[in-house]
Amino acid sequence: MNPYVLTALLSSLGLGTTLTFASSHWLLAWMGLEINTLAIIPLMAQHHHPRAVEATTKYFLTQAAAAAMILFASTTNAWLTGGWDMNDMSSPIASAMVIAALALKIGLAPMHFWMPEVLQGLDLLTGLILSTWQKLAPLALIVQTAQAIDPLLLTTLGLMSTLVGGWGGLNQTQLRKILAYSSIAHMGWMIIVLQYAPQLTLLALLMYIFMTSSAFLTLKASSSTKIGTLATIWSKSPILTTAAALVLLSLGGLPPLTGFMPKWLILQELAKQGLPLLATVMALAALLSLYFYLRLCYAMTLTISPHTNTFITPWRVQTTQFSFPLALSTVVALGLLPMAPAIVMLV
């Protein structure tokens, strides 16, 4: 893609998200979401592959439906309250429609069906943008309107997303689909604690972005899209393979890795709020996700592909990819747990 066009599209992505962050008016927020959607569509379709075009079409239709629902809900709310202010969501019908539309935007269960299919059709870098940056604006709107939404609805969405994200990834062999279900499960963890401690939602989002960035960039560096190809990585780059296995365990929430921190704090908060049963179900749902992360780790570190050389070939060409983002995100995804007391003090 032409670098000028790419710069314009990435700037529009940033502009759309910033506009939504900064707005307290529903029309401005809707406009930011639309700019965001329209900016990522050329990035998704840039390879002109039938699967990429299909994924782009699916994404466009779901995002357009969600944007229309947001516009309809905000108009209904303005008609009933006389204003477009986000903090004045006194109509329960409008609130329910807004959360349904925003759940469709970020792929919360049961509005998650587009997410694995769309991610499967994209290349890894565009998939990374879709899994991280594109979640920011809708999540900001959910955080702003959370107090007006029925707590039972938020809990149901969060719990269902965590269960579906764990259950759906069990039988997958495509890495992008596994990461899509991982994303759905992590969104569920963020939504379930939103009504009790919004700062924990933001912490979980930040940790999720670092861990997912590290996972996607590792797969990009090793050109892997299926579980079968993971078995060939170790002979090319044993250090990267070791780090990737640890990043996957961090995504699963195992101590002493970074991914344990948000899950631990969220379960602690749910127990404090007098919801031990909900905390138990969430912890058990995390075990489902942990199973398929362990499956990937097993394929990477404990199996030998029949096509693998048993030695590192001296003539292998060094990669030309920019490795600093991968190194940074991997370090953050693995080593932040000792900082947990300081982070708890901050939030």
Side-chain angles (χ1 to χ4, degrees):
M1 184 180 277
N2 186 312
Y4 296 115
V5 175
L6 185 62
T7 305
L9 292 174
L10 292 176
S11 304
S12 300
L13 269 181
L15 172 69
T17 305
T18 311
L19 195 61
T20 306
F21 277 175
S23 60
S24 59
H25 191 284
W26 272 116
L27 270 181
L28 265 180
W30 171 82
M31 204 182 301
L33 291 172
E34 285 298 283
I35 291 171
N36 225 340
T37 303
L38 293 174
I40 201 172
I41 279 174
L43 292 173
M44 294 170 79
Q46 64 181 317
H47 293 295
H48 304 296
H49 189 278
R51 276 200 183 157
V53 173
E54 181 190 340
T56 309
T57 309
K58 286 176 180 170
Y59 182 75
F60 175 71
L61 291 175
T62 52
Q63 298 298 305
M69 274 179 76
I70 289 171
L71 201 55
F72 180 58
S74 53
T75 310
T76 306
N77 188 62
W79 182 41
L80 292 169
T81 62
W84 291 86
D85 193 15
M86 268 184 213
N87 301 317
D88 187 17
M89 293 288 291
S90 51
S91 162
I93 298 170
S95 304
M97 277 196 293
V98 161
I99 190 64
L102 292 171
L104 180 59
K105 279 257 177 207
I106 61 172
L108 282 174
M111 283 80 87
H112 68 283
F113 294 100
W114 62 270
M115 180 85 183
E117 300 300 323
V118 167
L119 209 58
Q120 177 57 29
L122 304 179
D123 70 306
L124 288 163
L125 285 182
T126 316
L128 171 60
I129 295 172
L130 185 69
S131 301
T132 54
W133 187 261
Q134 291 298 93
K135 308 277 188 197
L136 296 179
L139 260 174
L141 294 183
I142 292 176
V143 169
Q144 278 181 276
T145 54
Q147 300 312 314
I149 298 163
D150 181 16
L152 183 61
L153 182 59
L154 279 177
T155 305
T156 308
L157 281 172
L159 190 57
M160 201 181 288
S161 298
T162 315
L163 288 166
V164 164
W167 203 257
L170 290 180
N171 206 26
Q172 300 296 334
T173 57
Q174 299 286 338
L175 298 178
R176 283 167 293 188
K177 278 193 177 179
I178 288 176
L179 286 169
Y181 282 110
S182 160
S183 172
I184 292 164
H186 278 89
M187 290 296 138
W189 279 90
M190 291 172 215
I191 294 300
I192 202 123
V193 79
L194 178 59
Q195 54 202 317
Y196 309 114
Q199 65 274 22
L200 287 185
T201 297
L202 299 180
L203 174 67
L205 175 64
L206 196 62
M207 296 300 110
Y208 161 77
I209 286 173
F210 278 115
M211 292 186 293
T212 305
S213 302
S214 182
F216 268 103
L217 292 171
T218 303
L219 296 179
K220 177 83 173 73
S222 57
S223 305
S224 303
T225 54
K226 294 194 287 290
I227 287 186
T229 56
L230 285 179
T232 62
I233 300 177
W234 71 271
S235 66
K236 300 178 195 170
S237 174
I239 296 173
L240 183 67
T241 309
T242 310
L246 289 171
V247 165
L248 288 170
L249 294 177
S250 184
L251 270 167
L254 278 190
L257 303 166
T258 301
F260 176 63
M261 178 172 43
K263 286 187 169 61
W264 168 38
L265 294 173
I266 288 169
L267 291 177
Q268 190 180 14
E269 184 64 33
L270 290 175
K272 269 189 206 167
Q273 297 291 338
L275 299 164
L277 184 62
L278 183 60
T280 308
V281 175
M282 291 293 286
L284 291 174
L287 292 178
L288 288 171
S289 298
L290 184 60
Y291 172 78
F292 60 75
Y293 295 127
L294 281 171
R295 193 163 148 240
L296 295 183
C297 291
Y298 175 76
M300 288 173 88
T301 56
L302 296 174
T303 56
I304 298 178
S305 166
H307 310 297
T308 305
N309 294 324
T310 53
F311 56 90
I312 297 176
T313 45
W315 58 85
R316 180 168 286 115
V317 179
Q318 289 296 313
T319 178
T320 56
Q321 293 183 44
F322 189 53
S323 56
F324 177 70
L326 171 57
L328 179 67
S329 57
T330 303
V331 168
V332 174
L334 298 184
L336 273 198
L337 188 63
M339 301 282 290
I343 292 170
V344 169
M345 289 295 290
L346 287 173
V347 301

